[in-house]
Amino acid sequence: MFKIVTKRVLSAVNKLMEIEAPLVARKARPGQFIILRVRENGERIPLTVADSSKERGTITIIFQEIGKTTKELGSLQEGDYLSDFVGPLGRPMELPSSGRVVAVGGGVGIAPIYPKVKAFYDAGLEVISIIGARTADLLILEDEMRAVSSELHICTDDGTKGHHGFVSDLLQPLLDDTSKKIDEIIAVGPLPMMRVVAEQTRPYGVKTLVSLNPIMVDGTGMCGCCRVTVGGETKFSCVDGPVFDAHQVDFAELTRRSRTYLDKEKIALEKFEHECRCGGEK
Ligand code: FES
């Protein structure tokens, strides 16, 4: 059993939890993820390691309450326990040894991009961060991102904070500024956002990485649920990723696959919310 030692509400739908998992914390590196179950027989969900502390023996996760399991997770309090917490999984991200990196985080994608930005910054790279959300209330980790970025640019779809528009609007002038070379771009966020960034940077030939979060079950390369086509080859996000070359990812296929269980997810969420309202068993 894995204890929730800290819980923070970041926005109306985003929550942060620090989980006591010393064996995972000892090995976790930026770019990796964990799979948890809230309770026995519950759904297994993958979440990026947002932070880790070997000293405290903890892993920090950040999640958006969008489905049944994330809502169930969000209803737990400090002192409660999770039934399973497996990791670290996936390949750690490779760090460039020097240069200028642009990090683009959208929505809840700001959570997984934060440890990567922190690792770049700690390694002495110049990091320009762009973060965006639908509206100001959904923008998370602004202070944390500012603390590990050389520059931080903010946008919201509705203009309630920062630039009124999309992360791609803020990325464009950086791509066009030929006086300052960009060595690498990493983008994490909703699939449409990562797809737009991939197409935007392709003509410039700038190395662009994305961190994918497809449907996963076992997280160890056995079930095939997380498969994604990269450069014409089938890869498993859980063992070959989750970070891939954005220009090689088949986003059209990935988008189709991500919708496979939408109807079932909707039914599970409605049932969960009905049970919560009635005070019944979850
Ligand atoms: S989650 Fe099963 S192969 Fe990746």
Side-chain angles (χ1 to χ4, degrees):
M1 298 288 269
F2 301 87
K3 189 177 181 183
I4 300 167
V5 291
T6 309
K7 177 182 177 183
R8 253 172 70 201
V9 176
L10 301 178
S11 76
V13 291
N14 291 300
K15 290 184 176 149
L16 174 153
M17 284 181 177
E18 191 184 4
I19 312 293
E20 202 170 72
L23 294 180
V24 185
R26 203 180 295 164
K27 293 194 166 176
R29 290 171 51 199
Q32 293 186 294
F33 66 96
I34 57 91
I35 287 185
L36 65 78
R37 278 196 308 179
V38 173
R39 58 189 166 76
E40 225 184 313
N41 303 325
E43 181 191 19
R44 296 162 62 90
I45 55 165
L47 290 168
T48 303
V49 172
D51 210 347
S52 64
S53 167
K54 287 188 181 65
E55 296 72 34
R56 288 169 60 81
T58 57
I59 295 285
T60 301
I61 51 170
I62 296 174
F63 55 95
Q64 191 168 40
E65 294 183 353
I66 41 172
K68 177 198 177 232
T69 302
T70 45
K71 278 191 191 279
E72 202 174 1
L73 179 61
S75 70
L76 299 180
Q77 304 301 330
E78 287 179 6
D80 287 342
Y81 288 83
L82 303 176
S83 123
D84 290 316
F85 196 84
V86 179
L89 300 165
R91 295 160 74 103
M93 196 185 57
E94 287 171 22
L95 288 183
S97 53
S98 63
R100 191 162 179 260
V101 175
V102 177
V104 184
V108 78
I110 301 168
I113 211 162
Y114 168 69
K116 300 174 179 68
V117 170
K118 186 165 178 282
F120 289 144
Y121 193 74
D122 290 346
L125 304 182
E126 183 186 351
V127 192
I128 300 169
S129 297
I130 300 171
I131 56 173
R134 283 206 315 276
T135 187
D137 290 346
L138 296 177
L139 194 75
I140 58 170
L141 301 181
E142 180 186 341
D143 293 343
E144 288 84 349
M145 286 292 289
R146 182 167 284 115
V148 295
S149 302
S150 316
E151 281 175 36
L152 178 70
H153 302 271
I154 292 173
C155 63
T156 46
D157 297 4
D158 63 359
T160 46
K161 186 154 200 174
H163 169 75
H164 185 171
F166 304 110
V167 289
S168 50
D169 303 340
L170 297 173
L171 177 59
Q172 193 57 48
L174 298 175
L175 289 168
D176 290 333
D177 183 354
T178 49
S179 68
K180 292 181 180 167
K181 179 173 173 274
I182 301 171
D183 296 284
E184 187 171 304
I185 295 173
I186 179 152
V188 190
L191 275 178
M193 185 209 90
M194 293 194 283
R195 190 175 187 175
V196 164
V197 169
E199 290 315 313
Q200 189 179 12
T201 65
R202 192 190 299 276
Y204 293 84
V206 184
K207 179 180 177 185
T208 304
L209 302 172
V210 285
S211 182
L212 304 181
N213 187 20
I215 297 165
M216 288 193 188
V217 178
D218 64 295
T220 59
M222 289 190 288
C223 71
C225 273
C226 67
R227 67 185 179 274
V228 53
T229 303
V230 182
E233 289 178 26
T234 298
K235 300 280 182 189
F236 291 162
S237 293
C238 65
V239 288
D240 300 319
V243 176
F244 292 104
D245 179 344
H247 299 150
Q248 301 292 321
V249 172
D250 184 341
F251 279 103
E253 178 195 63
L254 191 56
T255 304
R256 275 196 308 278
R257 286 181 57 77
S258 72
R259 297 188 181 129
T260 309
Y261 299 108
L262 275 186
D263 53 341
K264 292 183 177 62
E265 286 166 11
K266 187 164 172 273
I267 291 167
L269 177 60
E270 284 170 0
K271 187 165 175 272
F272 173 72
E273 289 181 329
H274 175 76
E275 286 166 353
C276 286
R277 278 195 299 276
C278 300
E281 193 183 324
K282 292 169 193 168

